Amino acid sequence: GAGVSQTPSNKVTEKGKYVELRCDPISGHTALYWYRQSLGQGPEFLIYFQGTGAADDSGLPNDRFFAVRPEGSVSTLKIQRTERGDSAVYLCASSSLTSGDSTDTQYFGPGTRLTVL
Amino acid sequence: AQTVTQSQPEMSVQEAETVTLSCTYDTSENNYYLFWYKQPPSRQMILVIRQEAYKQQNATENRFSVNFQKAAKSFSLKISDSQLGDTAMYFCAFLLSGTYKYIFGTGTRLKVLA
C-alpha cells in the first residue's frame, strides 16, 4: 500500500474485554513499531519488531499486552482484560532499515483510538 | 534513563514569521540521535528533521533547522517563513545509538495565524 494503515480507526470496548488492533506496514519494511499515545502526551514506545521477531518488547506495560508479526508484515497488538487506563491512541510505524539500524525514517499510521468504558 | 522535555505546551506565530520550539534532553551517553516529528490534526506523524549527535553541524531541511547544543543538551527547532500548514503538534524525540526505543517529549502545539 501507499502508507501504513491501521484498523480499526476507532474501537470502543468494555472493561475486561479482549481487543486486537491491526497494523499493515509499508510493503517491504522490515522494522515495525507500536506506540501508545495518551491524551496530551507524546508517543510511548511499546514494542519493536525486526522481521517476525520482537527485538525489543521492553515498553509493553504488563502481560495483558502482547503483539505478533507472524509473517514479517502485518502485526497485531492484543490487549487482554482491558482496563479504563488502556484508553489511548495506538500508533504503528514502519521503516525500511536500509541503513542497517533503527534510525531510518519511521512512517506512522493514523492510529487506532481505543476507548475502554 | 533518558528523558526528553518540551517546556512549551502551546505556541503561536504569525504567518511568514519565524518561531523556535524548545527541547531539552537528559542522557549520560555520547552516541545518539535526535528528531523532530510533526503531528497534524489528521493524526499521522511525519518526520521533520533529524540530527546525529556526533555531527557538529546543525541539520537543515528547507524552512526547518535545528540548533543543537550538545553540552547543554538542547535541541531546538526553528521554523522560518511559517505557513498555515505548519499548524500541528511537534514532538522532539531521542534515540540511543544501537537501540530501538524512541523516547518522545510531551509535544508543543503550534498554531500559525493568518
Side-chain angles (χ1 to χ4, degrees):
Chain A
V4 178
S5 62
Q6 293 186 245
T7 53
S9 55
N10 284 283
K11 176 71 177 177
V12 180
T13 190
E14 294 178 343
K15 180 174 176 292
K17 299 289 188 183
Y18 168 84
V19 296
E20 289 190 352
L21 311 179
R22 177 186 168 108
C23 172
D24 280 86
I26 292 172
S27 178
H29 277 192
T30 306
L32 187 144
Y33 301 78
W34 281 101
Y35 295 90
R36 177 170 68 177
Q37 188 174 18
S38 301
L39 195 62
Q41 301 295 315
E44 174 193 6
F45 171 87
L46 295 178
I47 188 169
Y48 165 72
F49 285 91
Q50 193 166 326
T52 60
D56 186 345
D57 65 356
S58 63
L60 295 177
N62 52 59
D63 61 6
R64 295 186 299 105
F65 289 74
F66 189 71
V68 296
R69 196 185 184 199
E71 296 177 359
S73 54
V74 171
S75 177
T76 304
L77 179 66
K78 307 180 181 193
I79 310 175
Q80 299 178 320
R81 304 183 303 280
T82 52
E83 301 177 356
R84 292 194 181 89
D86 299 334
S87 296
V89 175
Y90 289 82
L91 297 171
C92 175
S94 70
S95 67
S96 61
L97 281 184
T98 52
S99 65
D101 62 19
S102 54
T103 63
D104 286 287
T105 299
Q106 292 185 76
Y107 295 87
F108 281 81
T112 293
R113 184 179 298 280
L114 176 66
T115 303
V116 182
L117 301 177
Chain B
Q2 288 76 29
T3 59
V4 176
T5 301
Q6 294 180 252
S7 58
Q8 305 155 313
E10 291 188 5
M11 294 191 71
S12 62
V13 62
Q14 288 294 136
E15 197 175 7
E17 297 292 308
T18 294
V19 65
T20 299
L21 309 184
S22 301
C23 173
T24 59
Y25 59 94
D26 190 25
T27 183
S28 58
E29 303 291 336
N30 199 45
N31 297 317
Y32 51 87
Y33 301 83
L34 295 162
F35 306 82
W36 278 98
Y37 280 86
K38 171 184 177 181
Q39 189 174 40
S42 66
R43 206 161 68 194
Q44 210 142 350
M45 290 187 58
I46 55 174
L47 177 66
V48 175
I49 198 166
R50 56 177 274 174
Q51 174 81 42
E52 292 84 350
Y54 63 84
K55 289 186 178 178
Q56 291 189 337
Q57 187 172 4
N58 289 323
T60 299
E61 288 287 342
N62 300 313
R63 298 183 295 108
F64 298 88
S65 62
V66 299
N67 183 4
F68 174 48
Q69 300 290 328
K70 192 171 185 179
K73 297 180 183 173
S74 170
F75 183 61
S76 60
L77 174 70
K78 185 171 85 170
I79 306 174
S80 304
D81 185 26
S82 297
Q83 300 175 1
L84 296 178
D86 295 334
T87 293
M89 284 289 289
Y90 287 83
F91 293 97
C92 179
F94 172 98
L95 177 68
L96 189 62
S97 182
T99 72
Y100 312 99
K101 192 171 182 177
Y102 283 73
I103 299 169
F104 286 81
T106 53
T108 295
R109 184 180 303 279
L110 176 67
K111 189 169 185 177
V112 180
L113 307 171

